[in-house]
Amino acid sequence: MNTKQLTHIAFLACIMMVAYLSFSSVLYLEILTFTALVIAVCFPLKESLMASFIFGLLMILLQGIFPWTVMYLVIFPVYVFFAYHLRKLLFLQSWLPVLINFFYSFLLGQLLDLPFLLFSKETTYLYWLMGIKTSLIQGCLSAAIAAFLFEPVCDRINRILGGKR
């Protein structure tokens, strides 16, 4: 790994952290999945995966070692991996980034409740049931963000990178 790649990785992880911290206090507005989607589509797989992994580590450092913070180490590298391999399709169909971002955002809320299985099944089912409304609203807002911002943001990043996609 060279210095340019390490710089990209650090910069991308910082962008993910800023996206999380900037919008985490706004109810239902979650832009982190959109950021991960754009990073996965616009940057090489190795850099995107490492950036999402470092973001997960930063979340653990910021919030502490809890089962739900460890989920960030699992969820976002998986999101980035799948989005990277779908990147050709995402630019062919304009509705696909919207659908993927809705799915990622909805699933994020549901998957972060998964560690409650460590406590009890009933608690987990209750959190899942109560979280469906929140996750649906969050997913719809994330889909709207992707509908308006996905192509312009990817286009600008592509221009900055010199047309490499």
Side-chain angles (χ1 to χ4, degrees):
M1 213 178 279
N2 60 27
T3 306
K4 184 177 180 180
Q5 288 174 322
L6 289 173
T7 305
H8 275 167
I9 292 167
F11 186 68
L12 295 174
C14 286
I15 288 174
M16 289 180 76
M17 198 66 192
V18 167
Y20 173 78
L21 292 173
S22 297
F23 291 94
S24 64
S25 62
V26 181
L27 188 62
Y28 300 123
L29 189 58
E30 188 267 319
I31 201 162
L32 186 58
T33 54
F34 173 75
T35 307
L37 183 68
V38 168
I39 286 172
V41 168
C42 295
F43 292 91
L45 180 61
K46 186 176 184 180
E47 292 176 10
S48 303
L49 279 174
M50 289 299 295
S52 63
F53 185 76
I54 290 172
F55 166 74
L57 290 175
L58 288 172
M59 286 298 294
I60 289 172
L61 287 173
L62 181 70
Q63 295 184 349
I65 299 175
F66 298 106
W68 43 90
T69 57
V70 173
M71 289 297 289
Y72 284 96
L73 277 175
V74 176
I75 294 171
F76 282 99
V78 170
Y79 279 5
V80 165
F81 180 79
F82 285 121
Y84 177 82
H85 290 293
L86 291 174
R87 71 184 186 282
K88 301 280 189 217
L89 292 172
L90 290 172
F91 289 105
L92 293 177
Q93 303 290 330
S94 61
W95 56 269
L96 197 55
V98 175
L99 182 68
I100 296 287
N101 204 39
F102 170 82
F103 180 71
Y104 276 4
S105 187
F106 174 79
L107 201 58
L108 178 66
Q110 298 301 306
L111 289 175
L112 286 176
D113 290 337
L114 195 60
F116 286 104
L117 277 174
L118 296 172
F119 303 113
S120 77
K121 287 182 189 177
E122 292 80 19
T123 304
T124 304
Y125 296 148
L126 183 64
Y127 270 98
W128 276 342
L129 188 60
M130 289 178 10
I132 286 177
K133 177 189 72 96
T134 303
S135 294
L136 281 172
I137 295 169
Q138 185 173 305
C140 290
L141 284 174
S142 294
I145 290 168
F148 290 108
L149 295 178
F150 181 75
E151 287 187 29
V153 169
C154 288
D155 184 51
R156 297 307 184 274
I157 291 173
N158 201 20
R159 282 189 205 173
I160 291 169
L161 295 175
K164 300 176 207 168
R165 181 178 288 156

